[in-house]
Amino acid sequence: MKKALITGITGQDGSYLAELLLKKNYKVLGMMRRSSIFNTIRIDHLYKSYPKNFDTEYGDLMDETSIYRIINDFRPNEIYNLGAMSHVGVSFKTPKSTLTYNTLSTFNILETIKMIDKKIKFYQASSSEMFGATPPPQNEKSHFLPQSPYGISKVAAFHTTRLYRNSQNLFAANGILFNHESPRRGLNFVTRKVTSNIPKILKKEINEIAFGNIDTRRDWGFSGDYVEAIWKILQQKKPDDYVIATGENYSVKDFIKECFKIVGLDWKNFVTYNNINYLRPSEVQSLKGNATKAIKKLKWKPKVKFKSLCRMMVEADLKEQGLSLNEARKLSKNVKKN
Ligand code: NAP
Ligand code: GDD
């Protein structure tokens, strides 16, 4: 039985990856940090469904003694390093801690692997945000021109991973993942901000949503598809770096428009702008990935595309707030414009 350690287990991708590995009969240990309230909502079902093969352990990516203890005790075959301060906008407000967490965490784990067992395979959650100002389409050969402290931190972690692969002969690989979303996406990322607030508009709890720049374009896929690629990256004969993307991009405005259309509302009546809170000091204008290498070598392909993703997320948030799509469409007839 293979054993996998996942950092960032309480996050969106951590939960989908754990589910995938457990279905493949892995034993999975998630590392999580202590928080003042329980934040295991995305993984609670896994403790119940896989009592023997799934567990979590307290640790912190900044505390290398905790990393050493967990890896030494658990002896994983594979480590998936998904833990990070992952919000680009917030990284402008907390640049030092973002750089510290997202970069040193990778060093801490790779150094520990080097000390304990060089056969442990390592996956680093790299990001399309690293391409920054480089125009699309972006692939593994595109330049990194990061536009945020988050982007800079991920470039450093990317190169750290390559360095340990080349200089220490470790199986250390990067997945350069473009934006991926799901009903489990954090509420302050733009897609989930849209889909979680639409039911509130329908129930007249709020009458508008405020955004920053909605002309930026992103290549949005589904997290459930992307964790398949993450797993495949560690199953290759040799460690390498792969772009994971759908190859299509849409503006934030397109996303908003499509989601409001699903419930029968005209988005223009409910959108306002708040440049102080949501406009970023510098922006990544357009991301569109070329995943030809992954499609060919990993034999991976995204199943969920833009419109199905919008529908999946809208329906899930309606359900979470007690509404069916039919009920939502009926309610939309009585919701007045702003
Ligand atoms: P997420 O939902 O924000 O989850 C991040 C996870 O990291 C959470 O479990 C968080 O724990 C944990 N974490 C943060 N700092 C930590 C620390 N010091 N010690 C231990 N754990 C810590 O992010 P995601 O969307 O699942 O993304 C997973 C990874 O992929 C991240 O590294 C992200 O940067 C990267 N990535 C994401 C995307 C995307 O579109 N989703 C694209 C490219 C790359 P708490 O719950 O305690 O906060
Ligand atoms: N979050 C947010 N909130 N974004 C907004 C808003 C708003 O109110 N209004 C406009 N946007 C714009 C952002 O400026 C950005 O151009 C775009 O919507 C997407 O923002 P996010 O959903 O926050 O994602 P991101 O692209 O910045 O970062 C995500 O993708 C990266 C991969 O490219 C995160 O998941 C990162 O962790 C990931 O690495």
Side-chain angles (χ1 to χ4, degrees), residues 187-226:
L187 290 164
N188 61 355
F189 294 94
V190 79
T191 53
R192 189 77 199 289
K193 178 168 170 174
V194 175
T195 62
S196 65
N197 278 307
I198 285 178
K200 297 192 177 84
I201 289 178
L202 291 165
K203 293 200 269 182
K204 300 186 182 172
E205 291 166 11
I206 58 169
N207 55 17
E208 62 185 33
I209 317 175
F211 294 98
N213 182 350
I214 63 169
D215 292 321
T216 52
R217 300 180 74 84
R218 291 290 181 272
D219 178 333
W220 279 297
F222 170 51
S223 174
D225 287 346
Y226 284 35

Side-chain angles (χ1 to χ4, degrees), residues 12 85-89 125-130 150 154 177-181 185 187-193 209-220 252 256 274 277-280 282-285 287:
Q12 170 188 254
M85 203 310 280
S86 71
H87 200 284
V88 175
S126 289
S127 163
S128 52
E129 185 71 15
M130 302 188 302
Y150 170 83
K154 286 287 179 177
L177 271 54
F178 283 61
N179 298 50
H180 47 280
E181 319 293 311
R185 185 58 143 151
L187 290 164
N188 61 355
F189 294 94
V190 79
T191 53
R192 189 77 199 289
K193 178 168 170 174
I209 317 175
F211 294 98
N213 182 350
I214 63 169
D215 292 321
T216 52
R217 300 180 74 84
R218 291 290 181 272
D219 178 333
W220 279 297
V252 174
I256 298 171
N274 180 334
N277 287 343
Y278 303 121
L279 207 61
R280 297 177 181 174
S282 71
E283 187 50 274
V284 172
Q285 294 302 337
L287 292 172

Side-chain angles (χ1 to χ4, degrees), residues 245-275:
T246 70
E248 294 175 1
N249 82 356
Y250 294 86
S251 67
V252 174
K253 193 192 290 171
D254 294 332
F255 188 91
I256 298 171
K257 209 191 280 184
E258 178 65 22
C259 293
F260 274 86
K261 197 174 92 186
I262 290 168
V263 297
L265 291 175
D266 181 351
W267 70 281
K268 286 194 234 65
N269 299 326
F270 306 98
V271 165
T272 58
Y273 301 94
N274 180 334
N275 289 346

